[in-house]
Amino acid sequence: MTLQKYSDLFIDQGALALDALPQPELINTRASIAQDVKHMLLESGLVTKLLAQRSPALRNDVYTEMELLIETDTRLKPGTIEIDARNEQQILITATTYEFGNITAEVQLNAANS
């Protein structure tokens, strides 16, 4: 049995996810780190700032702010964070952890909380 170093409650579309019993679902390791990154962005206000910004140059500044914020997570390797603005409704964040490999987090911009 493998001991999970990082564990968290799973939040799905802004609500606590429950299993069939109904008990809260847990996530661990990479999924936990990815969820933390996503919530870090949502709680920082940068997602809202991005929604309000129409200038491509200023949107790029917000992406840089997001990248710098994500790099403060000590579980992630600096310089590996990438933000892909897939469209105006969604961004994809990828990064590499020190212990668990790559992570991916997706943030929906239309709701700013999914």
Side-chain angles (χ1 to χ4, degrees):
M1 183 172 163
T2 305
L3 179 63
Q4 304 299 335
K5 187 167 184 179
Y6 304 108
S7 185
D8 204 351
L9 296 171
F10 179 47
I11 306 298
D12 185 26
Q13 297 180 355
L16 183 63
L18 302 175
D19 63 16
L21 293 179
Q23 296 294 316
E25 287 187 44
L26 296 176
I27 56 174
N28 51 59
T29 59
R30 292 185 320 146
S32 178
I33 296 169
Q35 179 173 276
D36 289 347
V37 166
K38 179 178 176 178
H39 290 159
M40 178 190 307
L41 287 179
L42 292 171
E43 293 166 8
S44 73
L46 290 173
V47 174
T48 304
K49 188 174 178 181
L50 187 62
L51 282 171
Q53 192 52 253
R54 295 293 170 229
S55 164
L58 295 177
R59 285 178 70 86
N60 285 335
D61 288 347
V62 176
Y63 294 134
T64 300
E65 286 182 67
M66 289 178 166
E67 188 175 316
L68 292 171
L69 177 63
I70 294 167
E71 282 197 354
T72 64
D73 190 319
T74 58
R75 300 169 293 185
L76 302 176
K77 291 182 182 179
T80 65
I81 290 89
E82 292 185 21
I83 297 178
D84 178 11
R86 306 198 127 199
N87 53 52
E88 290 189 14
Q89 301 300 316
Q90 176 185 53
I91 58 173
L92 181 69
I93 300 108
T94 57
T96 303
T97 68
Y98 283 106
E99 299 174 276
F100 308 108
N102 296 332
I103 63 164
T104 302
E106 191 175 292
V107 177
Q108 298 295 327
L109 299 179
N110 54 355
N113 67 359
S114 56

